[in-house]
Amino acid sequence: MIQIRNVTKKYGTIIAVDNISLEIPGGEICCLIGPSGCGKSTVVKLINRMLEPANGSIFIDGKDTRDFKPELLRRHIGYVIQNIGLFPHMTVAENIAVVPQLLSWNQEKIEERTEELFRMMRMESDHYRDKYPRELSGGEAQRIGVARALASDPEILLMDEPFGAVDPLNREGLQAEFMKIQSDLKKTVVFVTHDLDEAIRLGDRIALMREGKIVQYDTPEEILAHPQNRFVSDFVGADRALKRLSRFPVSEFMKKPVVVKVTDDVDAFISQIRKKGRPRFFWLLDEDERLIGPVDSRHVHTPFSREEDVMEANCTAITVRDSATLRDVLSRMLGQGVKTIPVTDDNSRLVGEISILEIEKVTEEAALEC
Ligand SMILES: Nc1ncnc2c1ncn2[C@@H]1O[C@H](COP(=O)(O)OP(=O)(O)OP(=O)(O)O)[C@@H](O)[C@H]1O
Ligand SMILES: [Mg+2]
């Protein structure tokens, strides 16, 4: 747990952080968000004592951070720096091992941990370990930044716009991976972001800052349903009902799909479901159980023709991954003009389907609560 009590930080006459108090329970992600210059990075640097407050105290698990040597404290707090901050003259593997080296772990343990982190980040160690940061894409560099922060398995992670420099599509992927990692590791995380959707998706709580103060500190649901004042409601925007959809993982709402393999007797299958009158749609799978596309049982040729009867031969555009949220689902539906879309796992296997009805139910319930 991190407790920030009445902390103020000034740079000359500028009050960067103005008497803030904030309590971040252990194992939770607290997203700090707010306009540029409102003091987010300063809060993060106060926690690991890169900066010292003018007033107030910060406690980690009940202990005053002033009782630790700053360099010791920093070795036990993972830090992902705004704009990545990898050391350019070190290889990727050396970058990951910086803190374990400082902690004088033996080489074998460092090596094991480095390999484990490559696996966790889903990056091929042999391909990346000897590269230099300039040889990485933005998204790869961000992953290495996160791996480096996790290297010594610290209880606390400070992440200052860790995915800020990545394009939206890759950012979604990184967010989903990070949430998977966090569901295992349960770190206490302070996560700075400019992106409200990111804060809603990742945060157990969101602290919205303005001019050095915290304007509202609540769960994403509360912030969206009950903005405390005009600044918050302007910040979260008119489409807050839609934004709430990012809090709902598709995996909890998807239904079991009706499927048939292309190697099975598709005609027999169709005549059987026609007799029953439902379902209208089913999904055709290839011999490896990967999705070929949706089929409307009312409008098929006899005999069935894979070429003519599959409604959407290229399914990539309408498919979402099982790590997506209902908001991703809705934007996919609106973008592609389809009411039911398939959900696939890491290996492109069909694991469910989700229809616009499920989304309507959630938005109706949300509207009632507001
Ligand atoms: N080293 C410094 N010297 C003087 N003023 C500073 C310094 N660092 C930050 N500030 C000022 O303190 C305020 C808070 O800065 P901070 O970096 O915490 O903002 P931020 O919310 O992280 O902004 P951004 O979203 O742009 O990263 C700003 O007004 C900034 O100009
Ligand atoms: Mg900043």
Side-chain angles (χ1 to χ4, degrees):
M1 169 155 65
I2 305 172
Q3 290 159 301
I4 299 175
R5 286 207 199 130
N6 303 106
V7 165
T8 296
K9 171 71 194 171
K10 295 179 188 161
Y11 295 106
T13 54
I14 297 172
I15 304 178
V17 166
D18 190 0
N19 191 26
I20 69 160
S21 295
L22 188 67
E23 206 167 291
I24 302 158
E28 284 199 359
I29 301 179
C30 165
C31 286
L32 290 182
I33 191 165
S36 192
C38 70
K40 304 179 294 293
S41 295
T42 305
V43 169
V44 163
K45 290 177 190 159
L46 287 163
I47 295 173
N48 70 2
R49 289 189 65 193
M50 289 174 72
L51 296 172
E52 299 291 345
N55 295 99
S57 319
I58 299 179
F59 299 87
I60 291 180
D61 292 335
K63 297 190 196 89
D64 194 323
T65 52
R66 275 172 299 210
D67 296 341
F68 298 93
K69 278 195 178 145
E71 50 294 1
L72 273 182
L73 191 71
R74 283 198 286 272
R75 279 175 211 171
H76 291 95
I77 297 179
Y79 184 31
V80 187
I81 303 164
Q82 193 165 3
N83 300 326
I84 307 168
L86 296 179
F87 299 116
H89 56 284
M90 287 185 182
T91 65
V92 162
E94 286 164 351
N95 262 287
I96 292 178
V98 165
V99 175
Q101 290 284 5
L102 284 171
L103 294 171
S104 306
W105 289 11
N106 71 43
Q107 279 313 311
E108 202 178 325
K109 191 170 163 198
I110 292 180
E111 192 47 39
E112 248 171 52
R113 181 65 178 154
T114 307
E115 289 302 315
E116 190 182 350
L117 287 159
F118 275 119
R119 280 195 299 278
M120 209 187 273
M121 296 297 135
R122 294 165 190 273
M123 295 174 83
E124 197 64 53
S125 161
D126 289 347
H127 183 70
Y128 288 104
R129 53 175 305 126
D130 298 324
K131 283 187 188 279
Y132 285 88
R134 64 171 182 280
E135 300 170 285
L136 302 177
S137 75
E140 290 162 350
Q142 296 282 8
R143 279 196 184 80
I144 299 301
V146 175
R148 186 176 66 176
L150 287 169
S152 66
D153 203 17
E155 284 298 304
I156 293 176
L157 271 185
L158 306 176
M159 306 179 80
D160 196 346
E161 305 207 27
F163 310 143
V166 191
D167 63 273
L169 207 66
N170 274 312
R171 190 184 308 179
E172 269 179 32
L174 285 169
Q175 289 165 352
E177 277 165 31
F178 179 66
M179 288 309 275
K180 265 193 198 155
I181 294 171
Q182 168 68 0
S183 67
D184 285 342
L185 302 184
K186 298 259 182 298
K187 305 288 181 196
T188 308
V189 184
V190 181
F191 190 110
V192 176
T193 177
H194 263 108
D195 174 354
L196 182 63
D197 291 320
E198 184 166 74
I200 293 168
R201 187 164 187 194
L202 302 185
D204 294 296
R205 284 160 215 264
I206 297 177
L208 177 54
M209 292 184 66
R210 180 194 198 184
E211 294 172 359
K213 292 196 166 68
I214 291 173
V215 190
Q216 187 165 357
Y217 180 46
D218 255 320
T219 60
E221 285 82 358
E222 271 302 301
I223 289 213
L224 292 170
H226 305 116
Q228 222 158 64
N229 58 29
R230 183 69 194 270
F231 174 74
V232 183
S233 60
D234 284 352
F235 193 87
V236 298
D239 60 344
R240 58 200 169 95
L242 292 184
K243 290 199 167 88
R244 283 185 87 186
L245 288 175
S246 328
R247 293 295 297 174
F248 299 98
V250 66
S251 52
E252 284 176 21
F253 292 85
M254 65 193 187
K255 298 260 165 9
K256 198 164 175 281
V258 177
V259 297
V260 66
K261 259 164 104 169
V262 72
T263 44
D264 294 342
D265 186 345
V266 183
D267 289 308
F269 178 80
I270 290 169
S271 78
Q272 198 189 359
I273 60 175
R274 273 185 173 162
K275 261 185 231 150
K276 286 195 237 157
R278 49 187 22 243
R280 245 180 82 186
F281 291 99
F282 64 88
W283 304 95
L284 188 67
L285 306 182
D286 71 10
E287 38 289 306
D288 297 321
E289 307 209 335
R290 293 205 167 76
L291 185 61
I292 297 173
V295 179
D296 183 337
S297 65
R298 296 169 312 170
H299 306 292
V300 285
H301 294 85
T302 318
F304 173 80
S305 147
R306 174 172 169 173
E307 282 65 41
E308 290 180 59
D309 292 330
V310 175
M311 292 157 63
E312 182 77 48
N314 177 7
C315 259
T316 328
I318 60 162
T319 303
V320 292
R321 287 272 306 274
D322 52 357
S323 54
T325 68
L326 292 193
R327 186 148 191 230
D328 305 325
V329 170
L330 183 63
S331 64
R332 199 59 60 92
M333 286 174 174
L334 297 177
Q336 299 296 324
V338 284
K339 284 188 175 162
T340 302
I341 63 173
V343 183
T344 56
D345 67 8
D346 287 358
N347 298 315
S348 309
R349 296 228 155 75
L350 185 69
V351 289
E353 67 175 22
I354 184 145
S355 84
I356 200 154
L357 293 175
E358 268 82 47
I359 296 191
E360 279 169 4
K361 269 186 230 153
V362 172
T363 47
E364 273 163 23
E365 277 162 26
L368 289 176
E369 277 172 39
C370 283

